[in-house]
Structure formats: structure tokens, C-alpha cells
Amino acid sequence: MAGFWGRRRREDEAARQAQDDDLARRARAALVAADERIRTTSDEVEFALAELGETATKPLREGLEAVRTHMAEAFHLHQLNHDEIPDTAEELRTRNARIVQLCEWAEDVLDERTEALREKIALVRQAPKIIDGIRSDVERLRARLPQARETVDRLAGRYSQAALHRVAANPAEAEQLLDFALHSADISVRRREARRPEEANVALETATEAVRRAGTILDAVEDFEIEALRAQSTLADVIADSREDIVAARPFTQSGAPHASEVSAAVARLEAALAALPGPGTPSDPFEDLATLREANAALDAAVDKARERASRPVPPLDHVRHAVEAADHAIAVARSVIDGHRGWIGADARTRLVEAQRLRPEIDPLVVPEDTREQALVLARRVQQLAGEALQAAQRDIDSGRPDGDDWGGYGGFGGGRRRPRSGFGGGGDLLGPVLGGVLLGGLMGDMFD
């Protein structure tokens, strides 16, 4: 048996030693790789400084400095592993694990910081090609300026100044942007030749953005014409639909119909919007006309839907709703009277339901008179009455369960033959009358409430 355990212990020690040896190899390899990465990143920082300037490379330089500081600890731990002082296996294991952790952290930091500069460096190295592309785009967009001006002049005879305002100045603005783009490109070249990379890069980015904006606003001129024609086509459909809606809404404007005044006002508004539309051949703003007409049409649809819904679901009579509110108030008063009169016997259930009924009660009053909310007031009043009734029933159960067993008729010196101390100042009569009057009173109140 001793041989078995000895062999098992030797196997465990061999496995642990193999793991320690593997960790030591990983620590040495990670340390060599991290040292090489620091060296190559230092070279990259020098090139980046020349191409991007100090501002753009500041995060990378700060990250490299932090890595050097923390890697000093890793190199110190590596020296301790190989000095003349003997170390335990646990000490070697802890140091090697820390070396691997520091090296992995250093690699992550340098990867993150260099990746952030990669796109900027690529842009700088392609600067001559990008500038040639900017100049080519400027010439291509300049060729579109006469057509854009011609389009704006043609549209001025068809659409109002308010409609054309959004694109009338586009050709002139595009020309200014193109001039600015060429000027910025020239500045970028001169600043790079003067070894001022940060200013050169800013000028290059500015030129690229100016060209992009110029192309966008020239496209907007052509897009405006297409969108205006589409709006005119849609406007014709909305006009036809609006006229049909006015005819369909006439029955709901008659006196006595639900929401007749609201429907009449919506019809008048839509008719005014139709009358305000410019005649054929008159310069117009199809976008504004379409928006106004759609808004008036939607308001009429909403008013008619509201009237149609009310016609299919009649409004409860005002007297009926007020009667339900009075019943709810009566139920609350009865439940509160019983609960307040038996404070020592009433449990949490009855009190909670009464409190909920009292909380909902103030919400009813604003809903009673308006026709749109009268049905909601009726439902809420019935809910309050139900909660108060449940509170009263729960109170009755609590009072019944609080009486001593066999105390329905017996009392001090009564028919039950037992001697019980009376619960009122009237001697045995209090015990006798308390349950009887309590039962009769509660029964009568509950019966009156639910009639």
C-alpha cells in the first residue's frame, strides 16, 4: 500500500514539475517577444512623428512609456529567477506567472495604440495620390455647375421661391467649396514640404470634406426636381381622397350625431386647405401644400373615426353614471364606518381594499361629464363599489372570527351556562346584544349596498 501512495505522489510531482517547466518557457518566450515589440514600436513612433506630428502620436508614445515602466518589473523578476539565491518552486511559479501577465498586457496596449494610428499613417502615405484625386474630382464637379444653374432657373418658373429656397443657392455654394478644396490641397502640399505634418494632414482632410459636400449639394439640385414631381403626383391623389372624405363625413356633421361639431370643424379645415391650393400654372410649393393637406385630411379621418366609434357604442346617460358614483360613495361610507367601529378586530385585507377604493374615488369626478370619458367613469365607479363591498365582507369575516366559540347567544349568566366576562359596560346584556346587533347591522348595510 505504501508503494502505491509513493508512486502516486511521484507522478503528481512530475506532472507539477512539467507544468512549472512549461510556464517558465512561456515566460522566457513572452519576455523576448515583448522586448522585440517594444523595440519595433519605438521605431514606428519615430516614423509616425515624422509623418503625423506630436499630437497624433501622443497616445502611442504615452502607451509605450507605460509599457517600458511595467516591463522593468518583468525583467527584474526574470533576473531573480536566475540569480545565485535558491528559490522555491512556488516562488518561481509566481514570478513566471507575473512575467507572462505583464508581457500579455504590454502586447495588448501596444496593439491598441498602434491600430489607432494605422489608418492615419496609411492616409498620409497616400497623400499625393489623394491630392491628385481631389483635383480630378474638382474638375469633374465644375463641369456640372452650368447644368445645375440651368436646372435652378428652369425650376424657378414652376415652383415658388419658398419651395426653391432649399436649392437656389446650391450652384454658387458648390463653386465656393470647390475653390476652397483646391486651396486646401495646395496648402497641404506646401505644409508637408515644410515638414509640418499636422497642418498638412488637417488641410488634406479639409479638402476631402469640401469636395464631398460640393458633390452632395449638386446632387441635391437634381434630387429636388425628382422629389418635387413625386410630391405633385402624390398631392393629386391626396386631393381626390380628401374630396371623397368630405362627402363621406357629411352624415356625421348633422345635428345630433356624435361629435358633430368636431367633424364639422375638421371638414371646414380640410375645405379651406383645398381652397388655398394654387391654380394650374401658378408657382407653388408642392412639399408645403402636401404637408398641409395631409394634416387636415388626417384630422378629418380622426374626427370621423371618433364619431363612428361613439355611434356604435352609445354614451351612458349622465344620471346613470352619477347614480353609480353615489353607490360607490355609499359603499365606501358603510365599509369605513364598520372598519372604524371595530378597529381591534379588522385585519389587513379589509383595510387594504378600503384604502384602494378611497384612492380610486377622486379619479372619477373629472370623467363623469365629458362624453368621451363617461364610460370610463362608470367602470371606475363600479370598481370602487366592488372594492368597498369586498372590504366590508372581509371586515364581517374578521368580526365573526374574533368572537369566542359558542358565543352566538350565551353570555354572562345566559343560556350557555358558562361564566364569561362581558365585553361592554352593560353586563351580560352587552354580550348578548353585541353579536345580534352586529350581525343584523352588517347584514342590513350589506343588503342595502348591493340592492
Side-chain angles (χ1 to χ4, degrees):
M1 191 67 177
F4 171 77
W5 289 112
R7 185 170 62 254
R8 180 66 178 271
R9 184 170 56 255
R10 289 192 298 272
E11 291 176 355
D12 293 342
E13 292 175 354
R16 189 179 301 109
Q17 184 62 42
Q19 293 176 355
D20 291 344
D21 293 342
D22 179 67
L23 180 60
R25 286 191 296 270
R26 288 172 51 203
R28 289 192 297 271
L31 201 59
V32 172
D35 184 56
E36 178 64 18
R37 181 63 187 278
I38 291 174
R39 187 186 64 79
T40 57
T41 304
S42 300
D43 295 339
E44 291 178 0
V45 166
E46 296 300 326
F47 289 117
L49 274 171
E51 294 178 325
L52 301 177
E54 293 187 358
T55 302
T57 58
K58 183 179 179 181
L60 177 57
R61 289 184 286 111
E62 290 178 347
L64 182 60
E65 187 63 27
V67 166
R68 285 171 174 163
T69 300
H70 286 80
M71 286 304 297
E73 177 187 352
F75 286 110
H76 176 66
L77 294 175
H78 181 70
Q79 290 176 353
L80 292 178
N81 287 345
H82 297 84
D83 60 13
E84 68 281 359
I85 302 175
D87 301 308
T88 65
E90 183 62 27
E91 289 175 338
L92 292 172
R93 188 180 305 117
T94 302
R95 291 171 189 163
N96 287 328
R98 177 61 176 167
I99 291 172
V100 171
Q101 181 186 28
L102 288 170
C103 292
E104 290 178 349
W105 171 82
E107 294 279 357
D108 292 340
V109 170
L110 296 179
D111 286 342
E112 178 185 355
R113 302 297 173 90
T114 54
E115 185 64 29
L117 288 181
R118 197 178 306 280
E119 183 176 351
K120 293 182 178 180
I121 293 175
L123 180 65
V124 169
R125 292 175 179 175
Q126 296 178 4
K129 182 179 179 180
I130 293 174
I131 290 176
D132 291 340
I134 289 173
R135 289 171 176 163
S136 176
D137 290 339
V138 168
E139 294 302 320
R140 177 178 56 81
L141 293 176
R142 281 188 187 280
R144 294 177 54 185
L145 290 175
Q147 181 182 359
R149 294 190 180 97
E150 180 183 349
T151 301
V152 171
D153 293 340
R154 185 178 70 255
L155 294 176
R158 185 184 306 171
Y159 303 108
S160 65
Q161 292 183 354
L164 202 60
H165 177 71
R166 65 190 72 183
V167 295
N170 281 22
E173 184 178 353
E175 186 174 16
Q176 292 177 355
L177 285 171
L178 294 176
D179 292 341
F180 181 70
L182 284 179
H183 179 65
S184 298
D186 293 339
I187 290 177
S188 177
V189 172
R190 291 196 296 269
R191 292 294 187 272
R192 198 168 304 281
E193 292 174 350
R195 298 188 180 279
R196 297 163 67 179
E198 294 183 14
E199 297 176 4
N201 294 335
V202 171
L204 181 62
E205 293 175 359
T206 302
T208 303
E209 177 62 17
V211 170
R212 186 195 66 79
R213 288 184 55 196
T216 299
I217 63 176
L218 287 177
D219 292 339
V221 176
E222 299 177 0
D223 294 341
F224 174 86
E225 186 172 17
I226 296 173
E227 293 299 327
L229 292 174
R230 185 176 298 162
Q232 286 179 313
S233 176
T234 305
L235 181 62
D237 296 336
V238 175
I239 290 173
D241 182 66
S242 298
R243 289 171 177 165
E244 293 176 359
D245 289 346
I246 291 175
V247 174
R250 291 299 181 189
F252 296 96
T253 62
Q254 299 173 0
S255 178
H259 299 281
S261 60
E262 297 181 15
V263 177
S264 298
V267 168
R269 180 183 176 187
L270 183 55
E271 288 177 337
L274 289 171
L277 293 175
T282 304
S284 63
D285 185 348
F287 304 102
E288 182 64 24
D289 295 339
L290 182 59
T292 302
L293 196 60
R294 275 178 169 170
E295 184 179 357
N297 189 282
L300 178 59
D301 290 342
V304 170
D305 290 342
K306 193 174 183 180
R308 185 177 290 113
E309 180 185 0
R310 179 54 63 200
S312 63
R313 185 164 47 86
V315 180
L318 186 59
D319 293 341
H320 185 58
V321 177
R322 285 175 174 167
H323 177 72
V325 174
E326 292 173 358
D329 291 338
H330 178 66
I332 290 177
V334 172
R336 183 171 56 240
S337 176
V338 172
I339 291 175
D340 290 345
H342 300 79
R343 290 184 179 276
W345 291 3
I346 306 302
D349 188 23
R351 297 182 184 278
T352 300
R353 293 177 187 276
L354 178 60
V355 169
E356 179 64 12
Q358 292 173 329
R359 184 189 68 81
L360 293 177
R361 175 59 185 88
E363 300 180 9
I364 301 176
D365 292 335
L367 308 175
V368 173
V369 177
E371 293 185 354
D372 293 340
T373 59
R374 196 174 296 170
E375 184 175 358
Q376 183 181 355
L378 181 61
V379 172
L380 197 56
R382 289 172 176 170
R383 175 58 179 162
V384 169
Q385 184 178 359
Q386 178 187 1
L387 287 170
E390 293 173 355
L392 187 59
Q393 291 174 349
Q396 176 69 67
R397 290 194 301 269
D398 292 339
I399 294 171
D400 292 341
S401 63
R403 301 189 187 117
D405 294 339
D407 195 30
D408 290 342
W409 296 98
Y412 180 74
F415 298 104
R419 293 178 60 85
R420 299 184 178 88
R421 187 163 62 88
R423 288 192 295 269
S424 72
F426 296 100
D431 252 355
L432 176 63
L433 293 178
V436 175
L437 290 180
V440 172
L441 177 62
L442 289 176
L445 292 175
M446 293 179 66
D448 179 57
M449 184 182 70
F450 291 105
D451 281 345

